[in-house]
Every structure is written in C-alpha cells, then in structure tokens.
Amino acid sequence: MESISRISSLLETARDLTVEAAQSTGANRSFGSRAAVRDVPFLQVKKLLDSRHDREILEGLRKVISMMYRAKPCLPYFSSVVKNVASPNIEIKKLVYIYILHYAESEPDLALLSINTIQKSLTDQSPQVRAMALRVMSGIKVPVISQIVSLAIKRGCGDMSPHVRKAAALAIPKCFKLDPNTLPQLLDYLSILLGDKQYYVVGSAVTAFLEICPDRIDLIHKHYRALVRKLVDMDEWGQLALIRLMTTYARKCFPRRTIRIQKNESKGFYEDDAPETEGDAAGDEVPVLDPDLELFLRACRPLLSSRNSAVVVAVVRSFLHLGTPEYLDAAIGPLVALLRSPQDLHQIVLYNIVSVCLLRPAAFVPYTSHFFIRSTDAPEAWRLKIEILTLVFPHSDPQLKGLVLSELEHFTKASDNDLVRESVRAIGRCAQSDSRTSSRCLNLLLKQTSSGDGNLVAEALTVIRHLIQQDPSSHTATVIKLARNLDTMTNPEARASIIWLVGEFAGIGGEDNIAPDVLRILAQGFTDETEPAKLQIVLLAAKVYVHHLNRTQAADTPAHPAEGYRSGNDGSLAAEQTELNGGNLRADRDPSPQPEHPITVLWRYVLLLARYDTSYDLRDRTRLYKALLAEPSSTQLASLMLLAPKPVPYTPSPSEGRKDLFLGSASLVIGPEAGSHGLSGYEQLPDWVKEGDEPDPMLRAETGAKTPYGEKRDVPAGEKLDTALKEKGVEAKPNGLEKGKEKTLDDWLAEEDEESEGSEGSTESGDDEEETEEEESEGEGETESEDEAEGDRLVK
C-alpha cells in the first residue's frame, strides 16, 4: 500500500509539472505573437481561488494580479484572496500580500481581518516569511494598527535574521507616517538598529533616520566610527544615505580649523638677524582635519571606483565641502570618467563637473581633451563642454591654449547657428580671462565680421567691443578697420556696435579723429537706417559736438590771467571812449561775421533729421541731448553724462549662478528655473560649527574592544594574561627582561644554564624532602607503637 501511494503521489507531481510547463509555453507563445490578453470570467477565477489545490490557487492569484496591473476591477475577489493568507505555500503568500497592499487603503475593514494571520507569520520559522509579514503589515495604511506595527517593529529589531531586522528598519518611516505620536518608540528602535553589526541593516536604518529625524545627531555620536567602517560594504542606496548623513554631521560637529604655514625663503648671510615684517610672518592658510573627519574621508576613497555614478558624485561632494584640495584632486579623475556612462547621464554629469570646475579649474587641465565636442553630443552637452574649456583655458600651458582656440575657431564655421554663437562667446571669455592671448582671440573674431551671417557678425562685434573696452588706447587701428566695414554691414545690431565704438574713440587724436567724417557719411543715409543705428548716430553726433566745444573752450582760455585782466581793462576804457565819441570807434572796429564750424552745422543737421522721425524714443533722446548742449559755454553736465569712463564689461560663466547649489541635487541641473531656494525638499548644506560649540569628541568613543569590523582576531593566552595583569596594576616584563630591552645570545645561554642548575637543585632538594618525609613517618610509627604499648599496660 505504501508503494502504491508513493507512485500515485509521483504521478500527481509529474502531472502538475507537465501542466505548468504547458501553460508557460502557451504564455510565451502568446507573448511572442503579442496576442491580446483575454479577460477570464469572474466565476472561473473565483473557483480557482476557492480550490483546495495550491496549483489552482496560484493560477487564480496570477490571473487576479495580472488584471490588477491592467487597471481591471479586482475588488470583488478580495474575500477569496484574503482567506488564502494563511496558506503555507510561500508563493501564494507573496501574491496575497501584493494584493492586500494594493487594496488595503480602499478596503480597510476587510484588510483588518487578515492582521491576525499576518501577526502569526511574524513567528514563522522562515526568516523570509517573517520579513515579508513585517513589510506587509507596515504597508497597510490604516492608522488603527499603528501600535500593532510598532510592536511588530520591536520584535523585528531583536530577530536573529538580518533580513528581518532590515525589514524592521524600512518599516519605521511607514509607521511614523501612520501615527507621528509613535516617534519616541521608533527612536529607541532606530538607535538599536544603527548599532547593528550587519552593514545592510545599518544602511536601511540610516535611510529611516534621514526620513523621520535628520536633526537628531545625538543618536549618531556613539555609532559614528562603526558606521564609517561599514560604509564600504553597504549597498549603493545605503552608501548614498550614509554619505549624505555624514556630510551634514561633519558640518555640525567638526569645526573648520586652519593653520598658517610660513613660506621657507632662503636668506643671505647677513639677513638672518633681520626682523620679520608683517608680510613675512603671514603665510598660506592650510585646513587641519579632525581625526574622525579624516576617518570618514579615508573610508570614502575606495568608493571612487564604484559602479554607481551617484555614489561617485556623492563622494566628490563630500570631498568638496569637507576635505582638503588633495582629496578633491584625487576625485577629479573618477568624476571625469563618468562621461563614459550612457548618453542620458552625460548632461547631469557635466553639470556636476562644471560646478566643481568653477571652484577648482586647475585640477581639470590634464583632462581637457575629454571635453572636446563630438558630433553626437546633444546641444546642452556641447554648451557645457564649451564652458568647461573656457574655465580651464587660463590655467593651461601655451600649447593647450592654442589647441582650445583652434577647436573653438573650427566650430565658428559650423552649420548650427547656436554652436557658432556659443563658440564666439567662448573665444571672448578666453580673451577676457587671459590677457596674453587677447590679441589672437581678437584676430579670430575680426575674421567673423566679414561673414554673411548677420547674427554671427553681431555676436562677434559685441565680443570685440568688450575686448576693446579693456584697453582702448591700443585698439585705435581696430576701430578704424571696423568703421570701414560700415559700407558693407547690413545687420542693425552690428552697425550700432560699430557706431558706438567710433563714438567712444571720438576724443582721441583731436582734430585728426575719424569720428566727424564717419558722422558726415552716416548723416547722408540717416533716413534709411534702422532705429538702433539712428539712436547711435544721434549719440555719436552729441559726443563729437561735446568734444568740439571742449577743444574750443580750451583754445579760448587765456594762458596768463594778468593779460586777460589788462585786456579787460583796455576793453572797458575803449568802450567808454566809444560812447563819448558818439560810436564812431565801434563802427570803425566792427568785424565781419565768421562762418560756423562744420561740426556745429553737422550737429544741427542731425537734430533736424531726428526731429521729424517717426520713433518716439529717438525724438525724446534727441530733445535730451539738445537741452544738455543748449549753452555751448557750459558743457560740464554734458561731458559728465556722455563722456564718462565706462566700466570694463565682465562676462561671467553661464553657470556662475549654480555655483552655490548642492552637488548632485536636482536643483543644480534645473538651475535658476528651480527658484531662489531650489526645488521643493532642497536643503542647503549647514555652515561649519563654530570653535567651542562642537560636541565633546568623547561621545564618539566606542565602548568595549576595538576589534576592526569584519575581522575575527584570536587573542593569545599570553596577551590575555598581560591584559589581566595590567588591569590589576601589575606591570608584566616580557621574556623576563626589563621593558624595552632586547635579549642577546648571552642572555639566552645564561638563561639555559640557570634552568639546568635549577633542575639539578630541584632534584637534590626532592631527595632531601623524601628522606625527611621517611624519617618523619618512622618517628610517627615509633610514637604510635609506644602509645599502643602504654595502653596495653594500663589495660592489664
């Protein structure tokens, strides 16, 4: 009978396997042919769920889960599904738990019916079932069960399996969201889990800590060093959470200390006794790291080889905000290596590289070739690459500078207008950052003025204008060359830029300046100009006229005040004599009227042209200039407004506004569009704690033996004995010698002789002791025999 039952069970198992194989094959064929999934009738699914066979229940649950993820109504199956939660089959349990988590919020009353069964699963023998039960219980969003979930977390914290403890750590934030009043209990559980010996339990505990109480750094003090040592072994999510926590912890607990290192300069023989000045005493300030902070930074170094790009960026962020320049220089190479990652990560990586490059551009000079533009780069990617090239340009050697300028010059001839415009602007920023290459950059830009693209010419002239303003006296010939291009220039912005430059140079050279002649030519075609050009022509006319009036006043001013006084007195006397003579003298000396200067005539002509223009702005501007220059003898206010020295323009890097944003954050990628305070949830890194306000370093001292994590060290018996003697206050001498004294060969030989003599002496003493014992035994025997004889006499 036993053999028949065994054979029948084997046949049933084989049948089940055959049916499952056929079903899986059919599913694969339907998936391969992309056939539409048919809806199974309600009664058929319910019959499968109510079956007594695990295989049919499993098949029914799979159909229900499939319909659930296709947004089909599955609530009618709730009672049939929930009653299978007590099934011993783990596959059935998993599917039932998935269903309960999905519909528990919409059907809380029915979900509460399964709580008792899930609680029983917390005591199951399988750690996987216990962890899954805890995960499901904390995922049921019903506030009534918050205390039950809290007790389940407490039981999970003391579980022998690390998987269950990890599930307990992940359940803490869910319980806190259900009922914030459970925070004191959850903090106790969290403190226990932060001190766990398993690294994957600690990673989940750190994540829970950041979610419910990121400001309670007092819970971290006693676990700080253990957490840092577990950093390398954690998974990527745990590493990200712990690096973020430790970066904030370091700013709040370790003050920024610096020391001043004096430069060693060789002095002459007679300069040794010379007193040091204040400038000599001052040196470079070097940051000094706290030992615990340096422990964290050293633990982060191996993570630069992580396969996860987010971990590498997090390590670079910690080195940037906490470490010394040496740590940051070591992280530049791995950060640049992230450019080999998939294309969708390039833009994010480049934003982080630009943010670091703004603070330390010299460290990226060896990697300049990685930022040359490729044909497959997206527009946002090549914009960031061009920005990086301009940032490292002033720190490069002459050969590399020439290579960068050649690269930018090549892209000024590209077919993409945006790329051409960015290349021209980049050449201007390169010339602005390094004055030694400004002449070459200017020649490259002057070549673009002959291009047929009006937008390119306008952009090039804007950059040229900024470069000329940096050193106006040495660019007179450049302005003359640009003025000759006005005959062929058609772009309004380009013409306006050239006219403005001519007006800025109107006072150089006196009467030999080209500005009046340029004004005369432009006035002839004034009516055909665009409004930006007309505004600049009126401004040029005002500047030329002011310079003319200033030169005229300087020429009419007498060289000696005494001569003027005499001429004034002579004039008054002549006037009186004329009046007495009846005006005959005035008639004799009446000079002929002199013709007006051409510049004055040109000024009035331009005013007349602008008076009848259709532009309101142009007419208003013209009336302003006319009022300023109404009195030719008083030009101080006009000179102050029109001829005031202009500030040298400075073009910042396009990403200058992102420099203070947190490295690796979404606000850094989005930029100014995220608002002044970043996206929702963005938190800025706190400032360094002040000296004296930091917590006591003894709080981070570890209790118990300081055995390195992951090492099981066997302590020899001699070391244990020495430790016990030290605890009792007895100082042990190693090898019978004084502390710190090494044994020589003579000591070893002397020790052997003493041992041999001691053994002979012990042998002799042993013989003497035996003889003494025999004599004593004989004496005792004699004494006993005498006592017996005396007793016999008394009896008789």
Side-chain angles (χ1 to χ4, degrees), residues 259-272:
I259 58 173
R260 193 175 294 276
I261 298 179
Q262 202 170 8
K263 296 181 180 179
N264 294 326
E265 296 181 357
S266 59
K267 297 182 179 181
F269 181 77
Y270 294 103
E271 295 178 1
D272 293 340

Side-chain angles (χ1 to χ4, degrees), residues 390-538:
T390 58
L391 290 174
V392 303
F393 180 81
H395 305 276
S396 306
D397 55 359
Q399 183 179 0
L400 192 56
K401 290 179 181 178
L403 187 61
V404 171
L405 289 177
S406 300
E407 180 82 3
L408 296 175
E409 182 184 8
H410 171 73
F411 286 107
T412 57
K413 305 172 185 177
S415 58
D416 190 351
N417 294 332
D418 293 335
L419 179 58
V420 171
R421 190 178 297 109
E422 289 296 327
S423 301
V424 170
R425 292 175 182 172
I427 292 174
R429 292 200 298 272
C430 290
Q432 175 182 280
S433 61
D434 188 7
S435 58
R436 291 172 294 181
T437 58
S438 59
S439 58
R440 180 178 177 182
C441 295
L442 187 61
N443 292 331
L444 292 177
L445 294 171
L446 288 173
K447 292 179 183 178
Q448 308 302 325
T449 57
S450 58
S451 174
D453 187 359
N455 295 327
L456 171 61
V457 174
E459 193 66 40
L461 283 172
T462 303
V463 177
I464 290 172
R465 176 167 60 85
H466 292 171
L467 294 179
I468 290 176
Q469 284 184 259
Q470 294 180 1
D471 189 11
S473 59
S474 60
H475 291 292
T476 306
T478 305
V479 176
I480 297 174
K481 183 178 180 180
L482 291 174
R484 292 173 181 170
N485 293 334
L486 283 173
D487 296 334
T488 58
M489 199 77 64
T490 58
N491 187 274
E493 298 296 333
R495 293 180 65 85
S497 296
I498 295 177
I499 296 170
W500 186 88
L501 279 173
V502 173
E504 286 296 305
F505 283 80
I508 298 177
E511 296 289 343
D512 297 333
N513 197 277
I514 65 168
D517 197 26
V518 172
L519 179 61
R520 177 184 61 82
I521 296 172
L522 292 172
Q524 296 176 0
F526 184 84
T527 56
D528 299 329
E529 296 285 351
T530 59
E531 185 175 350
K534 288 180 180 180
L535 289 171
Q536 294 301 327
I537 291 172
V538 173

